[in-house]
């Protein structure tokens, strides 16, 4: 089991109000799988992903990623875990505006232990001819390709995608989904993706439905549909 989460709980306190955001999450994903988390806004999806990615901490429960007890790591070890093992793609790209495409990727590869070659990842996302451009010169879909290249250049064990197609039109969304599938196949990267779009669940091995901090459905997908054939 690559990701194994049991009884994960998380609350936020603001003033005297305590909000229980995760209420005992159970989640299992095997190595090399694609997992999709579906759920309405405010159901706890980002909180769960942030804890898996070592950006936030759970209050209790176990979060094991590739044998690492993420919830027990001290701050330094948590930073190492994030840096070495986790790639993240966000809805809004988060590229550094005054660096070129190539430089955006190299800032990550330079601090990675066993990075992939920058030109190879740019080729994988079909952006090699834009290496010397700046983010503002690219379309949203192209920026998302670069942010995907930046996430995979460190060759992460786990790629976390938070609404990766949330800001993109239909055709561009589909091309990003095809690329995620390609990364999963080519590099064996385990992928966990948050989405509002239930159609995207068809390309996943496992689908988790989250409601008010609880997994209300956990489905092993028997009939995986390639991203290319997904429509909505
Ligand atoms: P989703 O990603 O499904 O939209 P989130 O995980 O972002 O949900 O948020 C779940 C709930 O936790 C929301 O009610 C949100 O307001 C609350 N929340 C998230 N982060 C914080 C925080 N840092 N402080 C207080 N409340 C938070």
């Amino acid at each position: 089991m690559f990701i194994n989460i049991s009884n994960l709980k998380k609350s936020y306190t603001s003033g005297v109000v305590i909000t229980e955001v995760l209420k005992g999450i159970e989640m299992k994903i095997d190595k090399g799988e694609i997992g999709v988390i579906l759920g309405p806004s405010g159901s706890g999806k980002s909180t769960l992903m942030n804890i898996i990615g070592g950006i936030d901490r759970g209050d209790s429960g176990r979060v094991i990623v590739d044998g690492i007890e993420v919830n027990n790591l001290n701050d330094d070890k948590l930073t190492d875990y994030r840096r070495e093992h986790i790639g993240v793609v966000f809805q809004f790209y988060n590229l550094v505006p005054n660096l070129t495409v190539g430089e955006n990727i190299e800032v990550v590869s330079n601090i990675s232990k066993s990075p992939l070659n920058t030109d190879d990842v740019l080729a994988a996302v079909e952006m090699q001819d834009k290496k010397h451009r700046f983010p503002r010169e690219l379309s949203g879909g192209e920026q998302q390709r670069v942010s995907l290249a930046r996430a995979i250049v460190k060759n992460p064990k786990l790629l976390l995608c938070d609404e990766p197609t949330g800001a993109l039109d239909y055709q561009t969304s589909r091309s990003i989904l095809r690329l995620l599938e390609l990364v999963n196949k080519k590099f064996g990267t385990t992928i966990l993706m948050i989405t509002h779009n239930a159609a995207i669940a068809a390309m996943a091995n496992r689908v988790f439905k989250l409601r008010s901090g609880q997994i209300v459905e956990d489905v092993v997908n028997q009939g995986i549909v390639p991203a290319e054939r997904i429509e909505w």
Side-chain angles (χ1 to χ4, degrees), residues 123-151:
V125 301
E126 295 164 7
M127 286 294 290
Q128 62 272 53
D129 56 332
K130 304 275 168 72
K131 186 177 179 183
H132 303 293
R133 299 287 189 88
F134 288 91
R136 64 174 176 277
E137 300 174 303
L138 306 177
S139 70
E142 288 171 337
Q143 289 185 61
Q144 192 61 303
R145 284 167 186 263
V146 177
S147 96
L148 181 55
R150 182 188 54 182

Side-chain angles (χ1 to χ4, degrees), residues 86-106:
I86 308 295
V88 188
V89 175
F90 300 99
Q91 179 174 356
F92 296 110
Y93 331 128
N94 290 11
L95 299 173
V96 182
N98 57 346
L99 297 183
T100 63
V101 164
E103 288 165 349
N104 262 282
I105 293 167
E106 274 150 13

Side-chain angles (χ1 to χ4, degrees), residues 12-14 19 21 39-48 194 210:
Y12 289 111
T13 309
S14 70
T19 312
V21 178
S41 185
S43 57
K45 303 184 296 295
S46 300
T47 304
L48 174 58
I194 289 178
L210 202 55

Side-chain angles (χ1 to χ4, degrees), residues 29 31 55 72 84 114 122 137 158 168 190 198 203 213-214:
I29 299 179
K31 193 166 181 57
I55 296 164
N72 291 349
E84 284 173 33
S114 52
L122 278 175
E137 300 174 303
L158 178 60
L168 303 175
T190 308
M203 68 183 273
Q214 282 175 312

